[in-house]
Amino acid sequence: MPTPIEPALRTAAASADSALLTALLAIIIVSGLCAPVMTRIVADYFKQLMRSHHQAQSGEKTLGERLVVIVGLLQTVVFGALLLFCALGADERPPLASLAGLTLLTTLLLTGQLTGYRLVGYAFASTEESHSWLSAFLTTQALCGYLLVIPAFGALFYPSLTFAFAIAAGVVFVACRIPLFISEFRIFHTDNLSLIYFFLYLCTLEIVPLLAVWSLAGVFSSLFC
């Protein structure tokens, strides 16, 4: 007599999870409404970057512009977390709960870098220069959120191409960092010794946090599961 086969629950793909897709769609809609203002903010930043020899960003943003930048930063942490989720291949976990844990991790990364920028700016730059640097960081990070949409959704709907989309996301991340590095170099480069400080900063605030995020991704992906 043949041995009966125990039924097993079929694991649904994350791309078919309605709660996850609804949350992502809501973010896309809000960011789409903010896109015209974000485009103007980024255009102004690059105009000042190309024109100025000292400051990369000047002037205060209005409340509306600050809210638009916050929406861009929200995209950055959420879609960065989505890319981590796809890279981990954690389909056996509840997608929305896993994404929430990873979003907390990417938010901690962003907050930690912002805090580090404030400390470095306080120690080595004037108040005006520090404000310029932080403004450049937030603007480029918000822009990164818009550019990560396609790689993140590509990795979600085409899991077999996750590595390729992860490479594309890495290119986006580096491309958004280049103008920020130009801003930083203009602010902090005063002599040859300052180049050493610049590279030390690069390792401390850019490379080490990314390595920490990858090493903690598995823990945070199951934090709320």
Side-chain angles (χ1 to χ4, degrees):
M1 183 176 180
T3 304
I5 300 175
E6 292 292 332
L9 293 176
R10 184 172 63 90
T11 302
S15 57
D17 187 89
S18 59
L20 176 65
L21 295 179
T22 300
L24 295 176
L25 181 61
I27 296 174
I28 290 292
I29 292 174
V30 174
S31 61
L33 295 174
C34 297
V37 179
M38 189 67 218
T39 301
R40 177 169 53 80
I41 293 173
V42 172
D44 290 342
Y45 166 73
F46 279 102
K47 285 179 183 177
Q48 294 185 41
L49 181 66
M50 299 303 295
R51 181 173 59 246
S52 174
H53 294 287
H54 186 61
Q55 291 183 339
Q57 184 78 8
S58 62
E60 293 289 339
K61 290 183 175 63
T62 65
L63 176 60
E65 289 173 336
R66 291 177 181 175
L67 292 176
V68 167
V69 170
I70 290 174
V71 170
L73 295 174
L74 175 63
Q75 281 194 116
T76 301
V77 297
V78 170
F79 291 121
L82 182 59
L83 283 162
L84 282 174
F85 173 80
C86 295
L88 291 172
D91 281 341
E92 69 278 2
R93 298 175 182 142
L96 190 59
S98 183
L99 182 65
L102 291 170
T103 300
L104 175 60
L105 178 61
T106 53
T107 301
L108 291 175
L109 168 66
L110 181 66
T111 305
Q113 286 186 313
L114 184 59
T115 303
Y117 279 30
R118 288 184 180 276
L119 292 175
V120 173
Y122 177 79
F124 298 104
S126 66
T127 301
E128 186 177 0
E129 289 171 338
S130 180
H131 173 76
S132 171
W133 187 24
L134 293 174
S135 180
F137 171 71
L138 294 175
T139 299
T140 53
Q141 283 296 98
L143 172 62
C144 186
Y146 279 86
L147 299 180
L148 285 178
V149 173
I150 293 178
F153 272 94
L156 178 65
F157 287 100
Y158 301 97
S160 61
L161 299 177
T162 295
F163 181 76
F165 285 115
I167 294 296
V171 171
V172 167
F173 182 82
V174 172
C176 290
R177 273 300 198 265
I178 291 176
L180 178 61
F181 291 158
I182 295 174
S183 302
E184 294 163 355
F185 189 80
R186 288 178 174 178
I187 291 173
F188 293 103
H189 179 251
T190 55
D191 51 38
N192 292 332
L193 185 61
S194 65
L195 290 175
I196 299 176
Y197 293 135
F198 183 76
F199 283 111
L200 289 175
Y201 141 76
L202 191 65
C203 293
T204 305
L205 291 184
E206 298 293 345
I207 299 176
V208 173
L210 293 179
L211 295 176
V213 163
W214 179 249
S215 64
L216 294 172
V219 175
F220 277 81
S221 67
S222 58
L223 189 64
F224 300 118
C225 297

